Amino acid sequence: GVHNLSQKQKPRIMTSQASGDQVEERSCPLSNSARLSIARTCIVQVETGLLHSILGYLRKISRVRIIEDIGDMKVTHDGDCIPHTSNEQRIPIVTFVHEVIPSSQIVEHCRDHGVVC
């Protein structure tokens, strides 16, 4: 239903699970599907920024190989493989290996520092 925004409702105070900050809960005039669409857009933007940062960092390390499945490939005349389309969409998972450091040590280090593995 449509909320009557002219009625004054006392906002509930709640604690954000992510930050622990106190925030006011207020009614939202948008439909659930509109809110979900906005949330998905925001999540994609944040994930894309994080992916670009971590992939950029890892690509600078000479002993790191990023393991990627980039879908349909086409081979150029010089032998290079390039993605079939420029509209590459990634799942927000990064997989990589290091030439010297065992994967088990990388996983342990990430877990010790709050990175989900």
Side-chain angles (χ1 to χ4, degrees):
V2 177
H3 293 93
N4 186 347
L5 297 177
S6 64
Q7 289 180 339
K8 295 279 184 180
Q9 294 180 359
K10 185 176 178 183
R12 261 184 5 168
I13 303 297
M14 50 191 286
T15 302
S16 166
Q17 288 182 340
S19 66
D21 294 338
Q22 296 277 314
V23 293
E24 289 184 5
E25 181 185 80
R26 296 180 182 237
S27 297
C28 181
L30 299 174
S31 69
N32 283 343
S33 63
R35 290 193 317 235
L36 285 172
S37 178
I38 291 168
R40 275 191 220 102
T41 299
C42 291
I43 290 167
V44 167
Q45 288 176 348
V46 170
E47 285 178 347
T48 300
L50 291 171
L51 280 171
H52 285 297
S53 294
I54 189 70
L55 290 172
Y57 173 78
L58 291 171
R59 284 184 178 123
K60 292 177 187 177
I61 303 171
S62 62
R63 293 185 170 203
V64 166
R65 181 172 57 95
I66 300 169
I67 301 167
E68 298 182 87
D69 176 7
I70 52 178
D72 293 332
M73 297 295 292
K74 115 177 150 177
V75 178
T76 63
H77 294 292
D78 56 5
D80 289 339
C81 291
I82 59 173
H84 186 63
T85 65
S86 60
N87 295 332
E88 179 184 342
Q89 290 192 350
R90 294 186 56 92
I91 294 174
I93 296 172
V94 176
T95 304
F96 65 95
V97 292
H98 192 278
E99 287 179 10
V100 178
I101 303 170
S103 296
S104 60
Q105 283 185 342
I106 294 171
V107 169
E108 184 179 340
H109 178 82
C110 289
R111 284 188 180 149
D112 290 347
H113 291 86
V115 177
V116 177
C117 293

